[in-house]
Amino acid sequence: MSLDIDYDDAPVKEHKHGLTDKGYVGIAVLLAVLTALEVMLTEIDLPGGVFMALLLFLMVMKFLIVVSYFMHLKFDNKIFTYLFYSGLILALGVYIAALAAFHFFSGG
Amino acid sequence: MNHPPIPANPERSWLPLADTATPDAGTLAADVIDDGHDHDQHGHDQHGHGDHGADHGDGHAHATSTGLSNNKMAMWVFLGSECLLFGGLISTYMLYRGRHEGAPTPNQLYNIPLTSVSSFVLLMSSLTMVLAVTAAQRKDERNTSVWLTVTALLGATFVGAQVFEFTEFYKEGLGFTTNLFGSSFYTLTGFHGVHVTVGIIMLMSVVGMLKRSKIPGDKAEVVELVGLYWHFVDIVWIIIFTLVYLIPA
């Protein structure tokens, strides 16, 4: 068996593309704006359901932006996406079930 | 067939020298190549990515069964498991946030402006972290160290704000054992703060190792892995900030 393995020829499925530094600064500005919006929402008198929905929407948007761009998941191999989101979805499912068991959503 | 003795590799002093007198030595000698790495009978390097030495700092993925870096895969699996940890802590807090007997309520305690500023600081630390990663990918070691240090400083600022907040809450009458709200709040934010602190230690360790050229192989990957951890700590705070501070109890 030959020992002359050229590791440079090994299949590299990762993508090294991403944003430029300016692009990342733009993303950071967007995140700051979304954070400011969240804080502003607490100062506005909105109906409870609308307030919660907007706040949670902004939270999820910020989460997805950081994961996709800063953590490079958007540009990397899909296996990493499956690994992370499977853990996240499992955690969400488990703890939503736990909260439901304690009547959190029914106000009990 | 006798094989010539393989000279000792100072970087791998535990690697036994080939002994031409013993039958097995020939096999061992055949498995050891000049770079000092130990290969099994199939010629596979038993070590993970980054162990090839200084010549392999070019970011090429090691020959793994998936074609992906094992180190990066492990970090993502770890972060997936961290979702379970923080999911448990956050949901426990959500359950007990109304149990504030004998102490001020969350709405009376929380200083939203201070927490907003510290959230902004942590967000900006994520920016400086990703700038460190791109600098490392450009093999710009100086800027990598600069951005890593700035990230650590911003993280330390965040932790300082958290400590200040905890002391203020304690003065207001909310201790760890005062009520269920206090216990769950301090546990959740305390665990997050510890994660940030560990991240700061990791950042400064990488800065030190870069300066001493102690990182073998792909330096950019090491910085990227620390970056993944740091960004995760940031997204946990994004969730905590909204669910704990902004949503009224």
Side-chain angles (χ1 to χ4, degrees), chain B residues 30-42:
Chain B
D31 286 342
V32 176
I33 61 174
D34 287 342
D35 67 358
H37 285 266
D38 194 11
H39 292 256
D40 64 16
Q41 292 179 10
H42 302 285

Side-chain angles (χ1 to χ4, degrees), chain B residues 4-138:
Chain B
I6 306 295
N9 186 331
E11 291 181 11
R12 299 288 296 274
S13 57
W14 52 266
L15 192 67
L17 292 172
D19 181 358
T20 56
T22 60
D24 288 339
T27 304
L28 179 64
D31 286 342
V32 176
I33 61 174
D34 287 342
D35 67 358
H37 285 266
D38 194 11
H39 292 256
D40 64 16
Q41 292 179 10
H42 302 285
H44 293 152
D45 191 328
Q46 293 174 353
H47 302 281
H49 180 68
D51 284 0
H52 282 276
D55 289 340
H56 289 261
D58 55 2
H60 283 229
H62 190 59
T64 61
S65 55
T66 57
L68 303 171
S69 163
N70 283 337
N71 299 333
K72 200 165 167 180
M73 186 89 74
M75 178 55 83
W76 277 110
V77 171
F78 168 67
L79 295 181
S81 74
E82 287 273 88
C83 291
L84 281 159
L85 168 67
F86 280 103
L89 295 174
I90 290 171
S91 53
T92 305
Y93 171 82
M94 297 303 285
L95 271 175
Y96 291 145
R97 64 186 301 171
R99 302 289 297 273
H100 42 74
E101 303 85 9
T105 65
N107 298 341
Q108 291 171 320
L109 281 169
Y110 293 155
N111 184 343
I112 302 298
L114 169 69
T115 317
S116 303
V117 169
S118 64
S119 300
F120 175 77
V121 165
L122 201 61
L123 271 176
M124 290 305 107
S125 76
S126 259
L127 168 63
T128 55
M129 185 70 237
V130 80
L131 293 177
V133 172
T134 57
Q137 286 168 350
R138 289 192 308 267

Side-chain angles (χ1 to χ4, degrees), chain A residues 3 5 14 21 35 38 76 95, chain B residues 30 43 69 72 84 123 134 242:
Chain A
L3 295 174
I5 295 172
E14 292 182 50
D21 284 2
T35 305
E38 279 184 319
D76 269 334
Y95 295 115
Chain B
S69 163
K72 200 165 167 180
L84 281 159
L123 271 176
T134 57
T242 304

Side-chain angles (χ1 to χ4, degrees), chain A residues 85-108:
Chain A
Y85 280 113
S86 59
L88 178 68
I89 288 166
L90 177 66
L92 272 174
V94 165
Y95 295 115
I96 286 173
L99 288 173
F102 282 93
H103 305 287
F104 178 77
F105 301 109
S106 56

Side-chain angles (χ1 to χ4, degrees), chain B residues 99-206:
Chain B
R99 302 289 297 273
H100 42 74
E101 303 85 9
T105 65
N107 298 341
Q108 291 171 320
L109 281 169
Y110 293 155
N111 184 343
I112 302 298
L114 169 69
T115 317
S116 303
V117 169
S118 64
S119 300
F120 175 77
V121 165
L122 201 61
L123 271 176
M124 290 305 107
S125 76
S126 259
L127 168 63
T128 55
M129 185 70 237
V130 80
L131 293 177
V133 172
T134 57
Q137 286 168 350
R138 289 192 308 267
K139 300 191 188 340
D140 182 351
E141 279 198 24
R142 183 182 167 275
N143 276 327
T144 303
S145 296
V146 165
W147 287 123
L148 286 174
T149 306
V150 172
T151 305
L153 286 172
L154 290 172
T157 305
F158 173 83
V159 173
Q162 286 290 96
V163 170
F164 172 76
E165 186 186 54
F166 285 5
T167 55
E168 289 297 300
F169 287 5
Y170 188 77
K171 281 185 213 168
E172 296 284 331
L174 184 72
F176 185 72
T177 55
T178 304
N179 49 41
L180 286 169
F181 158 65
S183 302
S184 55
F185 171 79
Y186 284 120
T187 303
L188 169 61
T189 51
F191 258 92
H192 179 263
V194 166
H195 276 71
V196 175
T197 306
V198 167
I200 293 169
I201 294 170
M202 286 163 64
L203 288 165
M204 295 318 297
S205 301
V206 171

